Structure formats: C-alpha cells, structure tokens
Amino acid sequence: MLGAIIGDIVGSRFELDNHKSKDFELFTSECFPTDDSVMSLAVAKALLESKSDWAQLSYNAVRCMQEVGRCYPNCGYGGHFFYWILSDNPQPYGSYGNGAAMRISAVGFAAESMEEVKILSRAITEVSHNHPEGFKGAEAVAIAIFLARKGYSLLEIRNYIERHYYAMDFTLDQIRETYIFDVTCQGSVPQAFQAFFESENFEDAIKNAISIGGDSDTIAAICGGLAEAYYGIPDSIRQEALSFLDERLLEIVVEFENIYPK
C-alpha cells in the first residue's frame, strides 16, 4: 500500500508538467501527497475497520473516504468526486475514472484469496465508480498485487492480466512520444501495468511510470502498489516518503502494516 503513496508523491510534481524521461530525482521539495495517497489510506482504514465483518466494507469505505478526505479538501480531487466527498448522501455516479484503480492497492495486501480480492474490490469501487471499466481497473490492480504477494513472476502476472483484463500490446517506448493525459481506467491502468512489467526494481518501476507522461501521479501510484508487492520498498525510499505524511496519514500506514505485515 505504501508503494502507491510513494508513486503518488513522486509523480505529484509531474502531473501538470510531464517529464518524459527517467532522468530525475524521486523526491524534491516540490513533491506532496495528492488525493491518490489520501484515498489509498482512507481505503486502508476502511479495510482495517471492516476486518471482522466484510459486509460492512462498502459502508465503511464511504465513511472513511469522506472522513479522511474532508481533512484534505485541496489535495486534487476530480470535480465529481469532490462533490461526492462533501455530499450528505453520496451515491455512485457511473465513473470509469482511474480513481477506482489508484486507491485500491490495500485490497491486494489484505485479501486472503483471489475470490476475496474480487469481493473487496467491488465493495469499495461500487460506492462511487460503478461503471464496468471502473470495476475492471480496480479489480485488475488488486488481483495483480495479490499475485505478486504470492510469488508469481512478472510473466505469470502479465499473462493473467492479458487473459482476464487488458491486452498488453504495446511498449513504453512505443507510446512515450504520443501518450497524453487520460484519467480513465482504460486509458491509464494498462500503461501503469506496462511500467511495472518493464521494470527491474522498485525505483525503476516508478521512473518508468513517470517517463510516459499523462496523469503522472496516478499512473505512478498504481505502478507503485504493484512494484511494492513484487519487489518490496528500499528502506531509504520508504523513510523519505514517510516524511511527507502528516500524523493522521502516518498513523494509518503504521496500523495497516502492523495488521498486514510484509
């Protein structure tokens, strides 16, 4: 789950100023956690509070995303989701935005089976992003994280994603020059997967994700969750990333990692 937050923080300074190269420092004073980090941690909190009764997960997902989200009103929510966060009666609005996929990584770390991954992913996603592409993007990411946790190889994970979710019929080099900003699941989740599939280690995965441009913080967040599950996170990167989180967010990270240790 922390891998998604690291990807988000690293990508934050590039979302509106794309950097189509892998030549950059991961962290600078311009970096900050965006809505991707805030919502990833809100989902983690919902999972923690629902562990004894998954039937309450959708309810807790709404409550936690609103409670945590309202503490960070200026972190970069999309327009529709911003109103959802503030609503007294939040309802799903048919979204297929990549917010469904960027916040879901904790499910891949918490679930104990592939069937449970699908159940938990849907319960969280359906409260807002209840479009088939929203469900698909979130589930694909959570499933891949689960498979990485269980020791599947990059090739095995890729084959599963290709069979069940997305045709990975491009390389980063083929799309880098022409890829543009796209906030849909179908237009950014496959790209995040490819950044992971072409990586050699955790840092390389994050840099791959940034290097294609587009919605940099979200693509890197999705890729970062995958990379954490597969490679782990180097201690130096972990410690620097944690320094960007305030006490409220840091407390969720610590509690989640205590319940779901690596």
Side-chain angles (χ1 to χ4, degrees):
M1 191 256 310
L2 183 59
I5 295 165
I6 292 171
D8 173 51
I9 293 172
V10 173
S12 61
R13 66 189 175 109
F14 298 121
E15 180 182 17
L16 300 178
D17 185 20
N18 287 166
H19 183 80
K20 296 205 172 190
S21 164
K22 293 170 67 172
D23 182 18
F24 62 89
E25 294 182 21
L26 290 184
F27 301 104
T28 74
S29 60
E30 298 175 322
C31 294
F32 57 95
T34 80
D35 59 315
D36 300 49
S37 292
V38 173
M39 287 299 101
S40 292
L41 289 167
V43 166
K45 183 176 177 66
L47 288 164
L48 290 168
E49 296 188 7
S50 306
K51 185 171 174 57
S52 61
D53 183 8
W54 291 130
Q56 295 297 307
L57 181 56
S58 288
Y59 170 81
N60 285 333
V62 172
R63 181 175 57 78
C64 290
M65 283 194 280
Q66 287 199 315
E67 287 180 0
V68 177
R70 289 176 181 180
C71 295
Y72 306 91
N74 301 312
C75 65
Y77 304 116
H80 290 295
F81 192 73
F82 181 75
Y83 288 113
W84 187 95
I85 286 284
L86 298 179
S87 174
D88 291 332
N89 183 30
Q91 296 296 319
Y93 51 96
S95 176
Y96 48 83
N98 56 22
M102 61 79 163
R103 71 190 187 197
I104 205 68
S105 62
V107 166
F109 291 98
E112 296 180 359
S113 68
M114 290 183 68
E115 185 59 31
E116 191 168 69
V117 170
K118 295 176 181 180
I119 292 169
L120 302 187
S121 175
R122 188 172 187 89
I124 290 166
T125 305
E126 68 185 4
V127 303
S128 56
H129 293 60
N130 61 331
H131 185 283
E133 291 292 345
F135 287 127
K136 178 180 175 181
E139 184 177 291
V141 172
I143 282 285
I145 289 172
F146 177 82
L147 293 176
R149 273 181 55 215
K150 294 299 183 180
Y152 284 68
S153 70
L154 278 174
L155 181 58
E156 289 171 325
I157 298 170
R158 181 183 184 124
N159 286 342
Y160 190 89
I161 294 302
E162 287 191 313
R163 286 199 308 272
H164 298 282
Y165 298 101
Y166 299 108
M168 304 303 303
D169 53 359
F170 61 91
T171 68
L172 297 184
D173 283 344
Q174 287 172 340
I175 67 170
R176 186 174 286 109
E177 184 175 345
T178 58
Y179 183 65
I180 59 175
F181 196 88
D182 190 327
V183 298
T184 68
C185 277
Q186 57 270 39
S188 56
V189 174
Q191 289 74 18
F193 270 116
Q194 189 61 24
F196 169 58
F197 292 144
E198 291 190 23
S199 67
E200 297 179 357
N201 53 51
F202 180 84
E203 181 174 348
D204 190 53
I206 299 297
K207 289 192 169 186
N208 277 346
I210 299 297
S211 76
I212 61 170
D215 191 3
S216 292
D217 58 333
T218 298
I219 294 172
I222 295 167
C223 183
L226 297 164
E228 176 191 10
Y230 191 78
Y231 297 113
I233 302 172
D235 286 342
S236 59
I237 294 177
R238 171 186 170 82
Q239 293 306 316
E240 193 158 6
L242 291 176
S243 71
F244 286 88
L245 302 182
D246 63 20
E247 186 175 349
R248 179 186 294 107
L249 299 180
L250 189 58
E251 183 177 324
I252 300 172
V253 173
V254 172
E255 183 179 0
F256 188 84
E257 291 188 344
N258 283 339
I259 298 298
Y260 300 107
K262 301 293 183 297

